Amino acid sequence: MLSHEEIHQLLRLKADFPAVASLYLRLNEEKSLFRQCQDLAHQAVARNPLLNEFRRDFERFEDFVSGFKPEHHRGLALFSSQRSNYWQAVPLPLPVKNDLRIGTSPCLAPFTNIVEQYRRYGIALLGPDKNRFCEAYLGQIQECPEPSPQTPSGPPAGLRDSFQFRLKILADQLMALSRLRGWDQLIVAAPPDWEGPLAGHLNSQLQEKLIQEPRMHPGMSSQEILKVLIKREAESREVRESVMVHRLFDVVKAAGMGVAGLEPTLKALMHGQVRLLIVREGLAKIGRKCRRCRALVLSGRKCPYCWSDTEPLFNMVAEMVELALERNCEVFQVLNKTMLDAFGGIGAELRFKDDSRAASEPGRPQVGIPSSNP
């Protein structure tokens, strides 16, 4: 499981020359992961024979995916740098576009966009005879070693077996683990008469992260705990999706700071207006891409921005997502049915309404505003 510290290590990884290979794989394809991995490597080398220098990194990818079991995960991110002695494999709860990149640092936009949508959970399963501490993140779980708390000041030795003193020890352990492991939320499963008193021993920050979970208990296996947590996350995400889609339509109607539907969303993306792209998971539409400036268009053999030839795209929505990530837009995949489905399954919240400012927006050269009149 990816730790809090490993994320920071990945974010800091950088070389003075191209030395890092990043591989993203979608896990629900008909083709095997090994074959997808091989094909991406072969295509990359065919485009640039110098990438043969990364053959050992590609072989690491192939070795990993040959034994990988997706289980409930839907995407996979792999990062390798033989020259820097670095390796990281991260199963993801959401699908990603198949892609292989080489650079001086990892290709992180698809990775960070997903991981920032998920919380790192600390889980405390407490009982009179047994206490367990676990951590869950991105659909994986692991047991945490029980920390040895410092001897706290408190009542005289004769009262240190008291109920409240035991709760203070537990609270100190939870606070230490939370700081060390970077927990976003703390789930506690404890006898009912423990819950209130334990919360009183936690600091204010951890109290705000606290969730009571009656469906868990210390005797559960790790996979049983994870199953409950995945169900909780799915329920929470369905509510969040509904809220985000309703907010999108509110800003569309009230302030003009949103768009819904494929054509207006594509136009806003090309003009650099998009702040948040909301798209139905699995949505795919045919479109075209300019061979010269790489602009995306719904139709037409000539690019409306530079008047070069366009080529067909079998999944323009995937290209829109990739472009949005390149421009540091947030991308949110909707997994459940919402009223966005009635508007083509795609929409966006905007940074600004007036596209006359689009020329100053960061993005691909010559994409967004025509450079000359027809």
Side-chain angles (χ1 to χ4, degrees):
M1 187 180 74
L2 188 69
S3 70
H4 181 66
E5 175 57 34
E6 286 171 336
I7 289 181
H8 288 281
Q9 184 183 3
L10 180 58
L11 294 174
R12 293 191 298 263
L13 181 62
K14 189 170 180 63
D16 295 330
F17 49 88
V20 185
S22 306
L23 176 67
Y24 290 92
L25 292 174
R26 189 182 181 97
L27 299 185
N28 59 351
E29 301 286 347
E30 294 182 1
K31 193 185 298 183
S32 72
L33 290 180
F34 184 81
R35 183 63 182 274
Q36 291 178 61
C37 183
Q38 275 194 328
D39 288 350
L40 287 169
H42 290 162
Q43 292 165 14
V45 172
R47 290 191 299 267
N48 183 359
L50 293 178
L51 296 186
N52 261 317
E53 296 180 9
F54 290 85
R55 174 52 52 192
R56 291 176 63 194
D57 294 289
F58 299 159
E59 289 173 352
R60 292 173 91 180
F61 292 152
E62 292 167 2
D63 289 344
F64 180 85
V65 301
S66 63
F68 176 71
K69 295 181 180 180
E71 296 178 342
H72 51 270
H73 293 98
R74 305 180 69 184
L76 181 63
L78 302 175
F79 305 99
S80 176
S81 177
Q82 285 278 0
R83 296 175 183 177
S84 301
N85 193 28
Y86 182 84
W87 167 261
Q88 188 61 256
V90 188
L92 299 170
L94 295 176
V96 290
K97 178 186 174 184
N98 285 2
D99 197 13
L100 175 61
R101 301 286 185 95
I102 305 295
T104 58
S105 58
C107 173
L108 291 175
F111 167 80
T112 55
N113 182 71
I114 290 177
V115 300
E116 288 171 358
Q117 296 178 27
Y118 286 83
R119 298 180 177 92
R120 185 181 298 276
Y121 292 92
I123 303 166
L125 308 174
L126 310 176
D129 303 318
K130 183 179 182 181
N131 296 321
R132 289 173 62 198
F133 303 97
C134 303
E135 181 178 323
Y137 187 52
L138 299 178
Q140 293 183 299
I141 190 169
Q142 66 181 24
E143 299 273 343
C144 299
E146 186 171 343
S148 300
Q150 297 178 351
T151 302
S153 60
L159 298 178
R160 294 200 172 186
D161 291 332
S162 69
F163 174 65
Q164 289 294 341
F165 196 74
R166 288 178 61 198
L167 292 184
K168 176 171 173 50
I169 296 294
L170 283 172
D172 289 348
Q173 290 177 315
L174 290 173
M175 289 187 289
L177 281 170
S178 181
R179 295 187 189 106
L180 178 66
R181 307 185 76 93
W183 290 346
D184 299 306
Q185 290 200 298
L186 170 62
I187 296 177
V188 171
D193 59 337
W194 289 34
E195 295 174 356
L198 176 63
H201 287 284
L202 299 173
N203 61 26
S204 299
Q205 186 178 20
L206 205 54
Q207 284 182 356
E208 293 176 358
K209 300 177 181 180
L210 186 61
I211 299 173
Q212 306 291 347
E213 180 49 82
R215 293 175 289 184
M216 295 182 183
H217 59 81
M220 299 175 73
S221 69
S222 295
Q223 290 308 307
E224 288 172 332
I225 296 169
L226 183 60
K227 186 176 180 180
V228 172
L229 184 57
I230 289 174
K231 184 177 181 180
R232 169 183 276 276
E233 284 196 310
E235 294 167 349
S236 176
R237 187 175 182 92
E238 186 172 4
V239 172
R240 186 182 178 197
E241 290 174 2
S242 178
V243 169
M244 292 187 72
V245 170
H246 276 87
R247 186 181 70 182
L248 169 64
F249 283 101
D250 285 344
V251 298
V252 169
K253 295 175 183 177
M257 289 293 290
V259 292
L262 182 60
E263 185 173 359
T265 302
L266 177 59
K267 180 180 177 182
L269 181 62
M270 288 295 98
H271 286 195
Q273 293 173 268
V274 172
R275 182 191 69 81
L276 167 64
L277 180 66
I278 303 176
V279 58
R280 187 71 151 97
E281 190 272 317
L283 181 67
K285 298 291 182 180
I286 294 174
R288 302 187 72 85
K289 177 189 282 190
C290 176
R291 295 178 184 272
R292 178 170 174 262
C293 73
R294 315 308 291 169
L296 304 176
V297 293
L298 287 175
S299 61
R301 295 186 177 275
K302 293 292 183 179
C303 173
Y305 302 113
C306 71
W307 296 98
S308 299
D309 292 337
T310 63
E311 58 188 5
L313 283 176
F314 294 103
N315 191 348
M316 188 175 66
V317 176
E319 295 288 331
M320 291 174 65
V321 169
E322 183 177 357
L323 176 58
L325 292 173
E326 287 179 4
R327 293 184 171 184
N328 291 322
C329 305
E330 182 182 356
V331 177
F332 189 83
Q333 297 186 57
V334 177
L335 308 182
N336 300 282
K337 185 176 181 180
T338 67
M339 62 180 179
L340 188 65
D341 292 344
F343 292 83
I346 191 168
E349 291 186 15
L350 306 180
R351 296 173 175 171
F352 56 89
K353 288 191 291 186
D354 182 5
D355 63 7
S356 65
R357 290 171 50 195
S360 65
E361 288 292 311
R364 294 174 178 171
Q366 303 181 29
V367 174
I369 299 298
S371 57
S372 60
N373 293 323

